[in-house]
């Protein structure tokens, strides 16, 4: 079941078109990774979805209901972690959670229980009575995430929650997302770190310049751009006989030697790794073997002709 349906969404800032006829569905139980470089329109899309900014044309349905007519009801069932951390610096961690919980109508024992649960989930139980100003950036982000979770939303939206955060907190956050998802929470996760999307997301949507340019599982996206499988093989005694045998394997398009390494290029889906190893074991003595896998970076590069981000940026 789709819990979000977005069709033909257009959002302009003056003459600049930030969302250019975007279509997007999010299925219940997914971790959808929304990937794109800075300025792609990720935040604008999330804000339109969560009802924080309006839009010029198109349709948004959330939980099967038209978003604009049911905004309050929808907002109660969504958790939003914005790109900028939003916390009260003069309230303790627990008091911040009390505030956000009470906005959603929680009180008494129920509120207290939820606060204890979310503090434990983000690993801040020991620091509940401290002010967030005493926290590291990563701890502040974890508290910020807890604030978006205290009312137990079934749909959590996170906007680049790991930017500029120490690796330990980053891993903790990624684990928290996995845990929530296992418990049934649907997650929309934006980032410009493709490694996070690769390890976390069940489906990937890539945006660039206000457009959705790709949508599918990792495997589907990679298949889309990939026409070949490449195996790199190192053997102790490369011979012409070995090269000939490799060339005769099904689906093999090309076999060549470079220094002491043999490269076997096959059609996509040929699955030649097993057969390559069998042939090479008999004839050459295998020293090493590697099947080179394309990454999301390759997908992005192929679709847009540019790199996802400059190396210097992170
Ligand atoms: N409030 C705003 N006013 C004018 N332009 C904006 C505003 N917010 C975003 N934009 C522009 O819209 C585009 C998309 O921005 P944004 O949604 O923040 O992208 P992302 O989150 O992918 O980095 C950018 O070109 C940005 O400069
Ligand atoms: Mg953004």
């Amino acid at each position: 079941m789709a819990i979000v349906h977005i069709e033909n969404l257009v959002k302009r800032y003056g003459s600049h078109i930030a969302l250019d006829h975007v279509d997007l569905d999010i299925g219940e139980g997914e971790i959808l990774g929304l990937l794109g470089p800075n300025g792609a329109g990720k935040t604008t899309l999330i804000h339109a979805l969560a009802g924080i900014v309006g839009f010029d044309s198109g349709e948004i349905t959330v939980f099967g209901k038209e978003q604009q007519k049911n905004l309050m009801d929808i907002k109660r069932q969504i958790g939003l972690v914005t790109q900028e951390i939003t916390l009260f610096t003069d309230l303790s961690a627990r008091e911040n959670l009390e505030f956000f919980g009470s906005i959603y109508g929680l009180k008494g024992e129920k509120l207290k229980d939820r606060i204890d649960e979310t503090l434990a989930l983000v690993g801040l139980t020991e620091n509940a009575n401290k002010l967030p100003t005493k926290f590291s950036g990563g701890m502040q982000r974890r508290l910020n995430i807890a604030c978006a979770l205290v009312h137990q939303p079934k749909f959590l939206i996170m906007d680049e929650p790991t930017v500029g955060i120490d690796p330990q907190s980053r891993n903790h956050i990624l684990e928290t997302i996995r845990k929530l998802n296992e418990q049934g929470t649907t997650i929309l996760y934006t980032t410009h770190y493709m490694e996070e999307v690769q390890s976390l997301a069940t489906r990937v949507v890539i945006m660039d310049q206000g457009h959705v340019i790709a949508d599918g599982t990792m495997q589907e996206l990679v298949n889309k751009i990939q026409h070949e499988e490449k195996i790199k093989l190192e053997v102790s005694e490369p011979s012409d006989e070995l090269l000939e045998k490799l060339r005769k394997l099904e689906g093999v398009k090309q076999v060549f030697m470079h220094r002491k390494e043999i490269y076997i290029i096959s059609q996509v889906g040929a699955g030649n790794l097993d057969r390559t190893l069998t042939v090479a074991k008999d004839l050459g003595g295998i020293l090493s073997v590697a099947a080179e896998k394309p990454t999301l970076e390759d997908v992005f590069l192929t679709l847009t002709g540019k790199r996802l981000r400059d190396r210097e940026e992170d």
Side-chain angles (χ1 to χ4, degrees), residues 290-306:
E292 296 187 353
K293 258 174 122 177
T295 64
L296 272 181
E297 177 79 56
D298 297 322
V299 175
F300 191 78
L301 189 65
T302 307
L303 293 174
T304 66
K306 60 188 187 198

Side-chain angles (χ1 to χ4, degrees), residues 13 16 18 36-45 83 159-160:
Y13 290 112
H16 178 73
N38 286 330
K42 304 183 295 298
T43 298
T44 306
L45 180 59
Q83 196 164 347
D159 198 357
E160 309 222 30

Side-chain angles (χ1 to χ4, degrees), residues 171-183:
N171 287 336
H172 197 289
I173 289 169
L174 297 179
E175 274 317 308
T176 303
I177 294 170
R178 286 195 188 96
K179 222 182 278 176
L180 285 166
N181 183 250
E182 276 163 21
Q183 293 164 5

Side-chain angles (χ1 to χ4, degrees), residues 1-13:
M1 195 191 95
I3 64 163
V4 172
H5 176 71
I6 294 176
E7 206 172 307
N8 249 324
L9 194 69
V10 174
K11 168 73 184 168
R12 290 191 177 82
Y13 290 112

